[in-house]
Amino acid sequence: MSLADPTSDTTPFFSDDSEAEGSEEPGAGPSHHREVEEPASGVSSMRSVFTVIVLCFINLLNYMDRFTVAGVLPDIEQYFGINDGKSGLLQTVFICSYMFLAPVFGYLGDRYNRKVIMSVGIGFWSVVTLASSYMPREYFWLLLLTRGLVGVGEASYSTIAPTIIADLYVKERRTQMLSVFYFAIPVGSGLGYIVGSKVDDMAGDWHWALRVTPALGLVAVVLLLFVVKEPKRGAIEARPEHTLQRTSWLGDMKALCRNPSFVLSTFGFTAVAFVTGSLALWAPAFLFRAAVFTGERPPCVKGPCDTSDSLYFGIITVVSGILGVASGAEVSRRLRLRTPKADPLVCALGLLLSAPFLYLAIVFAQASPTATYVFIFLGETFLSMNWAIVADILLYVVVPTRRATAEAFQIVLSHLLGDAGSPYLIGLVWCYAAGPTLTPANYRYVKESVESKHR
């Protein structure tokens, strides 16, 4: 980026121009006097590390809570007596709320104290999540409402947290910290399945699975208030906030839409969101029903249901996520030595490689459960290569004063065309394919129908 035009965005993987960040931290020269000065961000190196740790912990809780519901989905369907179409709404309602509120918090995050916004949002998320665990079976619509309100808290955090990391680190150090931050997505998602299934088994009641993350959420609020310090926007990049011209929200949106690197990476990430949204909600239920169809497991007529598939899928998600995020960041780092387009190339390669493995997982579901788990592991590993890289692309092609807005815009578009509808659509397809009355209570009927067709 040229300092003569401090509000412009750059497109580094379309050209060889410099990135949207400064080449080094201010005051990084050899002078001994500069070494003892306060860091440009206003946050010490030690506190910066603790800040990233706290943000990672909260991000892990966000995704852990999001997929706890998927881990106990058969129990929820049996408890409320709902079919796949309605249960798919649990994820869709949450994503829609999260998606439409993201621009609001993106706007606030670019202009006001980010630490305060996140603290209030996470506190609200914890209270609403706890409330969702007390819904009586006659009021499924109330569970939908509370899951929608959970999106308020998550939107307040997801749009802002990456911008704080961007104001603490630059260049490869930033990429490393973002990789650590985005490890929390697959790890938290996997823990959601694991904790949900195990708490359900131990308590004999799926409601208790939804009461784990709220307590940890209140701990997260305390850590935010007493550990995290608000860094100065853009100061670490030799372009402190007061040197950047702040524009209106409409001006920010126009600049983002004229930024091809940002727009194309967002559309690519939309494809990832569509796949992961439907896979995350339905994979454990799909594996469970495949076992019912083959006679390996009895149908869930009365809760608690068998949640072992959620446990196995959670473990796979954790391991594949760690490998995917780490390998994606490392391959990109090495490839940058040869081409400035390394980041988008690695993202594209991950998507192309994941598709055949996820398809094979569906094909082998009834024939070989072991092969299915292997293919899911490989597919999720290649999908996870995108997480940290896409986030890094956004941060280095967008100026500091509109990064939260860019995060919000990316969230809206990727969820609107991605996982806001995919869980519900897959649920409808499932209902249509297996019959409109498919519920946990009639798996045996469906199984017998399938077997009679093949005699």
Side-chain angles (χ1 to χ4, degrees):
M1 166 180 289
S2 170
L3 293 179
D5 183 13
T7 61
S8 65
D9 291 330
T10 58
T11 57
F13 57 74
F14 277 94
S15 67
D16 294 329
D17 296 339
S18 62
E19 296 178 350
E21 57 198 23
S23 59
E24 60 181 343
E25 295 183 26
S31 170
H32 173 74
H33 175 67
R34 291 180 179 178
E35 292 180 358
V36 297
E37 285 183 350
E38 181 186 57
S41 64
V43 183
S44 68
S45 58
M46 183 62 69
R47 195 162 187 178
S48 295
V49 172
F50 283 126
T51 295
V52 173
I53 292 174
V54 172
L55 294 179
C56 287
F57 171 66
I58 300 172
N59 202 30
L60 186 144
L61 286 183
N62 274 339
Y63 282 87
M64 183 175 163
D65 172 75
R66 188 182 299 188
F67 294 109
T68 297
V69 171
V72 295
L73 190 61
D75 284 288
I76 293 177
E77 287 186 330
Q78 190 276 329
Y79 181 81
F80 289 101
I82 56 176
N83 60 20
D84 294 328
K86 288 185 178 180
S87 59
L89 283 174
L90 287 169
Q91 186 77 347
T92 296
V93 167
F94 160 75
I95 291 296
C96 287
S97 169
Y98 172 58
M99 173 182 65
F100 288 118
L101 288 168
V104 176
F105 288 106
Y107 177 87
L108 296 174
D110 278 335
R111 290 159 178 80
Y112 302 102
N113 189 290
R114 293 171 287 186
K115 173 180 169 179
V116 173
I117 295 172
M118 289 191 297
S119 299
V120 173
I122 293 169
F124 180 79
W125 158 71
S126 300
V127 172
V128 174
T129 301
L130 181 63
S132 70
S133 69
Y134 289 97
M135 297 299 114
R137 67 177 68 243
E138 298 85 7
Y139 296 96
F140 175 69
W141 65 271
L142 270 180
L143 180 63
L144 285 177
L145 176 62
T146 54
R147 293 308 297 173
L149 292 176
V150 167
V152 178
E154 293 210 22
S156 70
Y157 175 79
S158 298
T159 56
I160 294 174
T163 69
I164 292 181
I165 296 176
D167 287 333
L168 295 173
Y169 299 99
V170 293
K171 300 292 184 179
E172 289 190 4
R173 186 64 170 164
R174 174 190 290 173
T175 303
Q176 293 169 357
M177 289 301 179
L178 283 173
S179 297
V180 173
F181 178 77
Y182 283 103
F183 272 134
I185 294 180
V187 174
S189 302
L191 286 176
Y193 296 109
I194 295 171
V195 172
S197 62
K198 295 307 293 182
V199 171
D200 186 12
D201 288 342
M202 293 171 62
D205 184 355
W206 65 269
H207 293 85
W208 284 99
L210 301 184
R211 296 167 187 168
V212 176
T213 51
L216 296 175
L218 296 178
V219 174
V221 172
V222 174
L223 292 174
L224 261 179
L225 293 174
F226 293 99
V227 176
V228 174
K229 183 179 180 181
E230 176 85 1
K232 299 174 184 176
R233 288 182 176 88
I236 196 75
E237 300 169 14
R239 293 179 297 113
E241 187 175 8
H242 67 270
T243 68
L244 296 171
Q245 179 184 347
R246 189 178 298 281
T247 56
S248 65
W249 181 84
L250 185 60
D252 289 343
M253 293 303 299
K254 288 181 178 178
L256 292 173
C257 290
R258 290 194 299 265
N259 185 336
S261 296
F262 170 74
V263 172
L264 292 177
S265 64
T266 298
F267 277 118
F269 188 66
T270 300
V272 178
F274 187 94
V275 175
T276 55
S278 54
L279 182 68
L281 184 68
W282 290 115
F286 174 75
L287 294 168
F288 173 75
R289 295 176 190 184
V292 172
F293 290 162
T294 58
E296 296 178 7
R297 199 167 299 165
C300 179
V301 179
K302 183 179 180 181
C305 301
D306 188 338
T307 57
S308 59
D309 289 304
S310 296
L311 176 63
Y312 301 147
F313 184 73
I315 295 172
I316 288 174
T317 301
V318 171
V319 178
S320 64
I322 292 174
L323 289 176
V325 173
S327 61
E330 181 61 20
V331 171
S332 177
R333 185 186 69 82
R334 292 178 180 272
L335 195 58
R336 283 175 190 169
L337 300 176
R338 299 190 177 190
T339 172
K341 298 181 181 180
D343 286 349
L345 287 175
V346 172
C347 290
L349 180 65
L351 283 175
L352 288 174
L353 291 175
S354 68
F357 290 115
L358 293 177
Y359 174 75
L360 289 172
I362 297 173
V363 172
F364 280 84
Q366 294 187 45
S368 174
T370 302
T372 301
Y373 280 120
V374 171
F375 290 133
I376 288 177
F377 172 79
L378 293 173
E380 285 198 315
T381 298
F382 289 119
L383 271 179
S384 298
M385 293 175 69
N386 284 264
W387 291 112
I389 298 176
V390 171
D392 199 19
I393 289 173
L394 182 149
L395 294 173
Y396 67 61
V397 301
V398 178
V399 294
T401 52
R402 62 171 64 110
R403 281 174 180 159
T405 298
E407 291 279 355
F409 181 75
Q410 188 172 84
I411 286 172
V412 169
L413 193 60
S414 62
H415 290 310
L416 179 64
L417 303 179
D419 57 351
S422 63
Y424 180 62
L425 290 174
I426 297 301
L428 287 180
V429 170
W430 209 338
C431 280
Y432 178 78
T437 58
L438 179 61
T439 66
N442 66 0
Y443 291 155
R444 189 180 299 278
Y445 167 77
V446 175
K447 173 179 177 291
E448 292 173 353
S449 299
V450 172
E451 288 177 346
S452 64
K453 291 179 183 179
H454 292 82
R455 286 172 185 166

